[in-house]
Amino acid sequence: MSKPGLYREASHSGSWYSASGSQLNAQLEDWLSKANSKRRPARAIIAPHAGYSYCGACAAHAYKQVDPTVTRRVFILGPSHHVHLTCCALSSAEIYRTPLYDMRIDQKVYAELWKTGLFDRMNIKTDEDEHSIEMHLPYTAKAMESRKDDFSIVPILVGALSENKEHEYGKLLSKYLADPSNLFVISSDFCHWGNRFHYTYYDESQGEIYRSIEHLDKMGMGIIEQLDPPSFSNYIKKYRNTICGRHPIGVLLNAVAELRKSGLDMNFSFLNYAQSGQCRNWEQSSVSYAAGALYVH
């Protein structure tokens, strides 16, 4: 399916995060040490994908819920920012590089997904241009370092899917979500606010602009916690909130809905929320970040 030994380089290291393994490791350890953990391991997490100086501390709250003694395979679903897709795509690489250590793609699962005919293939350039998956690789490597030779990753680039497609991919991936040895990482920032993002929704009743943004985001976060795909789709339609990972989130919600039909008891909790800055006037802009985890009872 791909040429032996094909690598996807850590193309955003040295800019979006440190290219120094020792420096990066120290930063991740510091953020993780300050985050609280739940008693049970997460089956899925939602975490941001901006530069670590902006969102590294927030993302730690999600990755603190990962249990490497349980996890053997990490699915990473990230939105496509540069290439227009109406489906999901698999990498052409076999190895993803990070400043900490290299991680191998699970070619067995890739072969299973490819056989469905529902997936496209992204070339190495598209893969390396995109940051939504890469920004989760160092954190995944850190969370899984105690078994770094004994786990694999399944990177999936998620396009601009229709509600029907979100349902289709959610149903397909639900069997993997049902497996306790699999962890799903959903890559998403929340509201991108400001003229440069062409989004300036403002509810004056909330006070300052940044308060309005927080209220809007937390409304969406509360709906995600309900684990109801149509409610989240309706929220996006109504407010047009610029949640860039809305389609990966939609796929997760549909996978959960599929598993709930069989009686599996799950809940989702958001653990942290942050903004890159506090907007108080129309010349300013900000991006919001949220970290949360899905638990199976």
Side-chain angles (χ1 to χ4, degrees):
M1 288 179 61
S2 59
K3 296 176 183 177
L6 205 54
Y7 289 88
R8 189 245 187 238
E9 299 295 336
S11 55
H12 292 75
S13 65
S15 53
W16 290 53
Y17 59 95
S18 176
S20 162
S22 58
Q23 184 179 15
L24 179 60
N25 185 64
Q27 288 174 332
L28 296 175
E29 283 188 348
D30 180 55
W31 287 322
L32 287 166
S33 71
K34 296 171 182 173
N36 295 321
S37 64
K38 299 286 185 180
R39 291 188 177 274
R40 55 190 183 278
R43 188 69 58 87
I45 60 173
I46 293 176
H49 54 233
Y52 281 3
S53 62
Y54 294 104
C55 76
C58 176
H61 291 267
Y63 278 95
K64 193 67 174 280
Q65 318 311 315
V66 178
D67 185 350
T69 66
V70 174
T71 304
R72 298 291 183 276
R73 189 183 292 116
V74 181
F75 288 72
I76 307 173
L77 278 62
S80 176
H81 289 86
H82 306 291
V83 176
H84 179 68
L85 290 172
T86 55
C87 63
C88 291
L90 306 176
S91 176
S92 298
E94 289 192 349
I95 303 289
Y96 270 29
R97 287 188 152 151
T98 81
L100 301 180
Y101 59 87
D102 295 346
M103 292 180 287
R104 61 183 174 84
I105 291 176
D106 194 308
Q107 297 298 330
K108 178 177 178 291
V109 173
Y110 254 27
E112 293 171 359
L113 296 177
W114 186 252
K115 283 178 184 175
T116 66
L118 295 174
F119 291 83
D120 203 346
R121 181 74 67 183
M122 56 173 159
N123 60 36
I124 293 294
K125 183 182 186 308
T126 296
D127 204 345
E128 292 182 350
D129 285 348
E130 181 56 62
H131 64 274
S132 69
I133 292 173
E134 180 180 340
M135 297 310 294
H136 289 279
L137 300 177
Y139 253 121
T140 297
K142 181 61 182 173
M144 295 297 297
E145 67 180 345
S146 64
R147 56 182 331 113
K148 65 181 181 180
D149 298 321
D150 190 29
F151 84 100
S152 56
I153 60 172
V154 183
I156 299 174
L157 189 64
V158 180
L161 307 180
S162 64
E163 286 180 60
N164 287 338
K165 282 289 187 182
E166 287 179 0
H167 174 75
E168 188 174 18
Y169 284 108
K171 186 175 182 179
L172 171 66
L173 293 172
S174 65
K175 74 170 186 177
Y176 298 102
L177 184 64
D179 185 342
S181 68
N182 291 333
L183 169 73
F184 274 67
V185 174
I186 307 300
S187 175
S188 183
D189 295 337
F190 274 67
C191 185
H192 298 60
W193 193 93
N195 289 316
R196 72 189 184 100
F197 298 117
H198 308 291
Y199 186 76
T200 53
Y201 172 87
Y202 177 37
D203 179 355
E204 293 183 9
S205 70
Q206 297 302 318
E208 297 271 18
I209 292 172
Y210 73 90
R211 294 287 188 193
S212 169
I213 297 169
E214 180 174 355
H215 182 262
L216 176 68
D217 278 330
K218 290 192 171 177
M219 191 191 314
M221 291 158 65
I223 290 169
I224 292 169
E225 288 180 335
Q226 295 172 16
L227 298 174
D228 180 52
S231 294
F232 182 62
S233 293
N234 290 336
Y235 163 81
I236 293 294
K237 288 175 188 173
K238 181 175 181 179
Y239 294 100
R240 303 290 176 184
N241 192 359
T242 45
I243 300 173
C244 55
R246 58 193 175 275
H247 297 299
I249 292 171
V251 171
L252 174 68
L253 294 179
N254 276 279
V256 169
E258 188 67 25
L259 293 182
R260 283 178 128 184
K261 292 177 184 177
S262 61
L264 207 58
D265 185 19
M266 291 172 279
N267 77 285
F268 192 97
S269 297
F270 276 100
L271 307 164
N272 190 259
Y273 175 79
Q275 295 176 351
S276 62
Q278 295 186 336
C279 292
R280 291 183 166 85
N281 62 61
W282 299 98
E283 284 71 47
Q284 295 176 321
S285 63
S286 72
V287 180
S288 306
Y289 314 112
L294 176 78
Y295 304 101
V296 178
H297 303 284

CSV table of all heavy atoms in Angstrom, one decimal, residues 177-216:
chain,number,residue,atom,x,y,z
A,177,LEU,N,-13.8,2.1,18.0
A,177,LEU,CA,-14.0,2.8,19.3
A,177,LEU,C,-14.5,1.9,20.4
A,177,LEU,O,-14.2,2.1,21.5
A,177,LEU,CB,-15.0,3.9,19.0
A,177,LEU,CG,-15.3,4.9,20.2
A,177,LEU,CD1,-14.1,5.7,20.6
A,177,LEU,CD2,-16.5,5.8,19.9
A,178,ALA,N,-15.2,0.8,20.0
A,178,ALA,CA,-15.6,-0.2,21.0
A,178,ALA,C,-14.5,-0.9,21.6
A,178,ALA,O,-14.7,-1.5,22.7
A,178,ALA,CB,-16.6,-1.1,20.3
A,179,ASP,N,-13.4,-1.0,21.0
A,179,ASP,CA,-12.2,-1.8,21.5
A,179,ASP,C,-11.5,-0.9,22.5
A,179,ASP,O,-10.9,0.1,22.2
A,179,ASP,CB,-11.3,-2.1,20.3
A,179,ASP,CG,-10.1,-3.0,20.7
A,179,ASP,OD1,-9.8,-3.1,21.9
A,179,ASP,OD2,-9.5,-3.6,19.8
A,180,PRO,N,-11.4,-1.4,23.8
A,180,PRO,CA,-10.7,-0.7,24.9
A,180,PRO,C,-9.2,-0.4,24.6
A,180,PRO,O,-8.7,0.5,25.2
A,180,PRO,CB,-10.9,-1.6,26.1
A,180,PRO,CG,-12.0,-2.5,25.8
A,180,PRO,CD,-12.0,-2.7,24.3
A,181,SER,N,-8.6,-1.2,23.7
A,181,SER,CA,-7.2,-1.0,23.4
A,181,SER,C,-7.0,0.1,22.4
A,181,SER,O,-5.8,0.4,22.1
A,181,SER,CB,-6.6,-2.3,22.9
A,181,SER,OG,-7.0,-2.6,21.7
A,182,ASN,N,-8.1,0.7,21.9
A,182,ASN,CA,-7.9,1.8,20.9
A,182,ASN,C,-8.3,3.2,21.6
A,182,ASN,O,-9.2,3.2,22.4
A,182,ASN,CB,-8.9,1.7,19.8
A,182,ASN,CG,-8.5,0.5,18.8
A,182,ASN,OD1,-7.3,0.2,18.8
A,182,ASN,ND2,-9.5,-0.1,18.2
A,183,LEU,N,-7.5,4.2,21.3
A,183,LEU,CA,-7.8,5.6,21.7
A,183,LEU,C,-8.0,6.4,20.5
A,183,LEU,O,-7.3,6.3,19.5
A,183,LEU,CB,-6.6,6.1,22.5
A,183,LEU,CG,-6.6,7.6,22.8
A,183,LEU,CD1,-7.6,7.9,23.9
A,183,LEU,CD2,-5.2,8.1,23.2
A,184,PHE,N,-9.1,7.2,20.6
A,184,PHE,CA,-9.3,8.2,19.5
A,184,PHE,C,-8.9,9.6,19.9
A,184,PHE,O,-9.4,10.1,21.0
A,184,PHE,CB,-10.8,8.2,19.1
A,184,PHE,CG,-11.2,7.1,18.1
A,184,PHE,CD1,-11.1,5.7,18.5
A,184,PHE,CD2,-11.6,7.4,16.8
A,184,PHE,CE1,-11.4,4.8,17.5
A,184,PHE,CE2,-11.9,6.4,15.9
A,184,PHE,CZ,-11.8,5.1,16.3
A,185,VAL,N,-8.1,10.2,19.1
A,185,VAL,CA,-7.7,11.6,19.4
A,185,VAL,C,-8.4,12.5,18.3
A,185,VAL,O,-8.2,12.3,17.1
A,185,VAL,CB,-6.2,11.8,19.3
A,185,VAL,CG1,-5.8,13.3,19.3
A,185,VAL,CG2,-5.5,11.0,20.4
A,186,ILE,N,-9.3,13.4,18.7
A,186,ILE,CA,-10.0,14.3,17.8
A,186,ILE,C,-9.4,15.6,17.9
A,186,ILE,O,-9.4,16.3,18.9
A,186,ILE,CB,-11.5,14.3,18.2
A,186,ILE,CG1,-12.1,12.9,18.3
A,186,ILE,CG2,-12.3,15.2,17.2
A,186,ILE,CD1,-12.1,12.1,17.0
A,187,SER,N,-8.9,16.1,16.8
A,187,SER,CA,-8.1,17.3,16.7
A,187,SER,C,-9.0,18.5,16.3
A,187,SER,O,-9.6,18.5,15.2
A,187,SER,CB,-7.0,17.1,15.6
A,187,SER,OG,-6.3,18.3,15.4
A,188,SER,N,-9.1,19.5,17.2
A,188,SER,CA,-10.0,20.6,16.9
A,188,SER,C,-9.7,21.8,17.8
A,188,SER,O,-9.5,21.7,19.0
A,188,SER,CB,-11.5,20.2,17.1
A,188,SER,OG,-12.3,21.3,16.7
A,189,ASP,N,-9.6,23.0,17.2
A,189,ASP,CA,-9.6,24.2,17.9
A,189,ASP,C,-11.1,24.6,17.9
A,189,ASP,O,-11.9,24.0,17.2
A,189,ASP,CB,-8.8,25.3,17.2
A,189,ASP,CG,-7.3,25.0,17.2
A,189,ASP,OD1,-6.9,24.2,18.1
A,189,ASP,OD2,-6.6,25.5,16.3
A,190,PHE,N,-11.4,25.6,18.7
A,190,PHE,CA,-12.8,26.1,18.8
A,190,PHE,C,-12.9,27.5,18.1
A,190,PHE,O,-12.3,27.6,17.0
A,190,PHE,CB,-13.3,26.1,20.2
A,190,PHE,CG,-13.9,24.7,20.6
A,190,PHE,CD1,-13.0,23.6,20.7
A,190,PHE,CD2,-15.2,24.5,20.7
A,190,PHE,CE1,-13.5,22.3,20.9
A,190,PHE,CE2,-15.8,23.2,21.0
A,190,PHE,CZ,-14.9,22.1,21.1
A,191,CYS,N,-13.6,28.4,18.6
A,191,CYS,CA,-14.0,29.6,17.8
A,191,CYS,C,-12.7,30.4,17.3
A,191,CYS,O,-11.8,30.7,18.1
A,191,CYS,CB,-14.8,30.5,18.6
A,191,CYS,SG,-15.4,32.0,17.7
A,192,HIS,N,-12.7,30.6,16.0
A,192,HIS,CA,-11.7,31.5,15.4
A,192,HIS,C,-12.5,32.8,15.2
A,192,HIS,O,-13.3,32.9,14.3
A,192,HIS,CB,-11.2,31.0,14.1
A,192,HIS,CG,-10.5,29.7,14.2
A,192,HIS,ND1,-11.1,28.5,14.7
A,192,HIS,CD2,-9.3,29.3,13.8
A,192,HIS,CE1,-10.3,27.5,14.6
A,192,HIS,NE2,-9.1,28.0,14.1
A,193,TRP,N,-12.2,33.8,16.0
A,193,TRP,CA,-13.0,35.1,16.0
A,193,TRP,C,-12.1,36.2,15.5
A,193,TRP,O,-11.0,36.4,15.8
A,193,TRP,CB,-13.5,35.4,17.4
A,193,TRP,CG,-14.6,36.5,17.4
A,193,TRP,CD1,-15.9,36.3,17.3
A,193,TRP,CD2,-14.3,37.9,17.4
A,193,TRP,NE1,-16.6,37.5,17.3
A,193,TRP,CE2,-15.6,38.5,17.4
A,193,TRP,CE3,-13.2,38.7,17.5
A,193,TRP,CZ2,-15.8,39.9,17.4
A,193,TRP,CZ3,-13.3,40.1,17.5
A,193,TRP,CH2,-14.6,40.7,17.5
A,194,GLY,N,-12.7,37.1,14.7
A,194,GLY,CA,-12.1,38.3,14.2
A,194,GLY,C,-12.3,38.4,12.7
A,194,GLY,O,-12.6,37.5,12.0
A,195,ASN,N,-12.0,39.6,12.2
A,195,ASN,CA,-12.1,39.9,10.8
A,195,ASN,C,-11.3,39.0,9.9
A,195,ASN,O,-11.6,38.6,8.8
A,195,ASN,CB,-11.8,41.4,10.5
A,195,ASN,CG,-12.9,42.3,11.0
A,195,ASN,OD1,-14.1,42.0,10.8
A,195,ASN,ND2,-12.5,43.4,11.7
A,196,ARG,N,-10.1,38.7,10.4
A,196,ARG,CA,-9.2,37.8,9.6
A,196,ARG,C,-9.7,36.4,9.4
A,196,ARG,O,-9.3,35.7,8.5
A,196,ARG,CB,-7.8,37.8,10.2
A,196,ARG,CG,-7.6,37.0,11.5
A,196,ARG,CD,-6.2,37.3,12.0
A,196,ARG,NE,-5.8,36.6,13.2
A,196,ARG,CZ,-5.1,35.5,13.2
A,196,ARG,NH1,-4.6,35.0,12.1
A,196,ARG,NH2,-4.8,34.9,14.4
A,197,PHE,N,-10.7,36.0,10.3
A,197,PHE,CA,-11.3,34.7,10.2
A,197,PHE,C,-12.7,34.8,9.5
A,197,PHE,O,-13.4,33.8,9.4
A,197,PHE,CB,-11.4,34.0,11.5
A,197,PHE,CG,-10.1,33.8,12.2
A,197,PHE,CD1,-9.8,34.4,13.4
A,197,PHE,CD2,-9.2,32.9,11.6
A,197,PHE,CE1,-8.6,34.1,14.0
A,197,PHE,CE2,-8.0,32.6,12.2
A,197,PHE,CZ,-7.7,33.2,13.5
A,198,HIS,N,-13.1,36.1,9.2
A,198,HIS,CA,-14.4,36.3,8.6
A,198,HIS,C,-15.5,35.8,9.5
A,198,HIS,O,-16.6,35.3,9.1
A,198,HIS,CB,-14.5,35.7,7.2
A,198,HIS,CG,-13.4,36.0,6.3
A,198,HIS,ND1,-13.3,37.3,5.8
A,198,HIS,CD2,-12.4,35.3,5.8
A,198,HIS,CE1,-12.2,37.3,5.0
A,198,HIS,NE2,-11.6,36.1,5.1
A,199,TYR,N,-15.3,36.0,10.8
A,199,TYR,CA,-16.3,35.6,11.8
A,199,TYR,C,-16.3,36.5,13.0
A,199,TYR,O,-15.3,36.6,13.7
A,199,TYR,CB,-16.1,34.1,12.3
A,199,TYR,CG,-17.2,33.6,13.2
A,199,TYR,CD1,-18.4,33.2,12.6
A,199,TYR,CD2,-17.1,33.6,14.6
A,199,TYR,CE1,-19.5,32.7,13.4
A,199,TYR,CE2,-18.1,33.1,15.4
A,199,TYR,CZ,-19.3,32.7,14.8
A,199,TYR,OH,-20.3,32.2,15.6
A,200,THR,N,-17.4,37.3,13.2
A,200,THR,CA,-17.4,38.3,14.3
A,200,THR,C,-18.7,38.2,15.0
A,200,THR,O,-19.3,39.3,15.4
A,200,THR,CB,-17.2,39.7,13.7
A,200,THR,OG1,-18.1,39.9,12.6
A,200,THR,CG2,-15.8,39.9,13.2
A,201,TYR,N,-19.3,37.0,15.2
A,201,TYR,CA,-20.5,36.9,16.0
A,201,TYR,C,-20.3,37.5,17.4
A,201,TYR,O,-19.3,37.3,18.1
A,201,TYR,CB,-20.8,35.4,16.2
A,201,TYR,CG,-22.0,35.1,17.2
A,201,TYR,CD1,-23.3,35.2,16.7
A,201,TYR,CD2,-21.7,34.9,18.5
A,201,TYR,CE1,-24.3,34.9,17.6
A,201,TYR,CE2,-22.7,34.7,19.4
A,201,TYR,CZ,-24.1,34.7,19.0
A,201,TYR,OH,-25.1,34.4,19.9
A,202,TYR,N,-21.3,38.3,17.9
A,202,TYR,CA,-21.1,39.0,19.1
A,202,TYR,C,-22.5,39.1,19.8
A,202,TYR,O,-23.4,39.7,19.3
A,202,TYR,CB,-20.5,40.4,19.0
A,202,TYR,CG,-20.4,41.2,20.2
A,202,TYR,CD1,-20.1,40.6,21.5
A,202,TYR,CD2,-20.5,42.6,20.2
A,202,TYR,CE1,-19.9,41.4,22.6
A,202,TYR,CE2,-20.4,43.3,21.4
A,202,TYR,CZ,-20.1,42.7,22.6
A,202,TYR,OH,-20.0,43.5,23.7
A,203,ASP,N,-22.6,38.5,21.0
A,203,ASP,CA,-23.8,38.6,21.8
A,203,ASP,C,-23.6,39.7,22.9
A,203,ASP,O,-22.9,39.4,23.9
A,203,ASP,CB,-24.2,37.3,22.4
A,203,ASP,CG,-25.4,37.3,23.3
A,203,ASP,OD1,-26.0,38.4,23.5
A,203,ASP,OD2,-25.8,36.2,23.8
A,204,GLU,N,-24.1,40.9,22.7
A,204,GLU,CA,-23.8,42.0,23.6
A,204,GLU,C,-24.2,41.7,25.0
A,204,GLU,O,-23.6,42.3,26.0
A,204,GLU,CB,-24.4,43.3,23.1
A,204,GLU,CG,-23.8,43.8,21.8
A,204,GLU,CD,-24.4,45.1,21.4
A,204,GLU,OE1,-25.2,45.7,22.2
A,204,GLU,OE2,-24.2,45.6,20.2
A,205,SER,N,-25.2,40.8,25.2
A,205,SER,CA,-25.7,40.6,26.5
A,205,SER,C,-24.6,39.9,27.4
A,205,SER,O,-24.8,39.8,28.6
A,205,SER,CB,-26.9,39.7,26.5
A,205,SER,OG,-26.6,38.4,26.0
A,206,GLN,N,-23.6,39.3,26.8
A,206,GLN,CA,-22.6,38.6,27.5
A,206,GLN,C,-21.4,39.5,28.0
A,206,GLN,O,-20.5,39.1,28.7
A,206,GLN,CB,-22.0,37.5,26.6
A,206,GLN,CG,-22.9,36.4,26.2
A,206,GLN,CD,-23.6,35.7,27.4
A,206,GLN,OE1,-22.9,35.4,28.4
A,206,GLN,NE2,-24.9,35.5,27.3
A,207,GLY,N,-21.5,40.8,27.6
A,207,GLY,CA,-20.5,41.7,28.0
A,207,GLY,C,-19.4,41.9,27.0
A,207,GLY,O,-19.7,42.1,25.8
A,208,GLU,N,-18.1,41.8,27.4
A,208,GLU,CA,-17.0,42.0,26.5
A,208,GLU,C,-17.0,40.9,25.4
A,208,GLU,O,-17.6,39.8,25.6
A,208,GLU,CB,-15.7,41.8,27.3
A,208,GLU,CG,-15.4,42.9,28.3
A,208,GLU,CD,-14.7,44.1,27.7
A,208,GLU,OE1,-14.7,44.3,26.5
A,208,GLU,OE2,-14.2,44.9,28.6
A,209,ILE,N,-16.4,41.2,24.3
A,209,ILE,CA,-16.4,40.3,23.1
A,209,ILE,C,-15.9,38.9,23.5
A,209,ILE,O,-16.5,37.9,23.2
A,209,ILE,CB,-15.6,40.8,22.0
A,209,ILE,CG1,-16.2,42.1,21.4
A,209,ILE,CG2,-15.4,39.7,20.9
A,209,ILE,CD1,-15.4,42.8,20.3
A,210,TYR,N,-14.8,38.8,24.3
A,210,TYR,CA,-14.2,37.5,24.7
A,210,TYR,C,-15.2,36.7,25.5
A,210,TYR,O,-15.2,35.5,25.5
A,210,TYR,CB,-12.9,37.7,25.3
A,210,TYR,CG,-12.9,38.2,26.7
A,210,TYR,CD1,-13.0,37.3,27.8
A,210,TYR,CD2,-12.8,39.6,27.0
A,210,TYR,CE1,-12.9,37.8,29.1
A,210,TYR,CE2,-12.8,40.1,28.3
A,210,TYR,CZ,-12.9,39.2,29.4
A,210,TYR,OH,-12.8,39.6,30.7
A,211,ARG,N,-16.0,37.4,26.3
A,211,ARG,CA,-17.1,36.7,27.1
A,211,ARG,C,-18.1,36.1,26.2
A,211,ARG,O,-18.6,35.0,26.4
A,211,ARG,CB,-17.7,37.7,28.1
A,211,ARG,CG,-16.8,38.2,29.2
A,211,ARG,CD,-16.5,37.1,30.2
A,211,ARG,NE,-15.7,37.6,31.3
A,211,ARG,CZ,-15.1,36.9,32.2
A,211,ARG,NH1,-15.2,35.5,32.1
A,211,ARG,NH2,-14.5,37.4,33.2
A,212,SER,N,-18.5,36.8,25.1
A,212,SER,CA,-19.4,36.3,24.2
A,212,SER,C,-18.9,35.1,23.5
A,212,SER,O,-19.6,34.1,23.2
A,212,SER,CB,-19.8,37.4,23.1
A,212,SER,OG,-20.5,36.9,22.0
A,213,ILE,N,-17.6,35.1,23.1
A,213,ILE,CA,-16.9,34.0,22.4
A,213,ILE,C,-17.0,32.8,23.4
A,213,ILE,O,-17.3,31.7,23.0
A,213,ILE,CB,-15.5,34.3,22.1
A,213,ILE,CG1,-15.5,35.5,21.0
A,213,ILE,CG2,-14.8,33.1,21.5
A,213,ILE,CD1,-14.1,36.1,20.8
A,214,GLU,N,-16.6,33.0,24.6
A,214,GLU,CA,-16.6,31.9,25.6
A,214,GLU,C,-18.0,31.3,25.8
A,214,GLU,O,-18.1,30.1,25.8
A,214,GLU,CB,-16.1,32.4,27.0
A,214,GLU,CG,-16.0,31.3,28.0
A,214,GLU,CD,-15.4,31.7,29.3
A,214,GLU,OE1,-14.9,32.9,29.4
A,214,GLU,OE2,-15.4,30.9,30.3
A,215,HIS,N,-19.0,32.2,25.9
A,215,HIS,CA,-20.4,31.7,26.0
A,215,HIS,C,-20.8,30.8,24.8
A,215,HIS,O,-21.4,29.8,24.9
A,215,HIS,CB,-21.3,32.9,26.2
A,215,HIS,CG,-22.8,32.5,26.4
A,215,HIS,ND1,-23.7,32.5,25.3
A,215,HIS,CD2,-23.4,32.1,27.5
A,215,HIS,CE1,-24.8,32.1,25.8
A,215,HIS,NE2,-24.7,31.8,27.1
A,216,LEU,N,-20.4,31.3,23.6
A,216,LEU,CA,-20.7,30.6,22.4
A,216,LEU,C,-20.0,29.2,22.3
A,216,LEU,O,-20.6,28.2,22.0
A,216,LEU,CB,-20.3,31.4,21.2
A,216,LEU,CG,-20.5,30.7,19.8
A,216,LEU,CD1,-22.0,30.6,19.4
A,216,LEU,CD2,-19.8,31.6,18.7
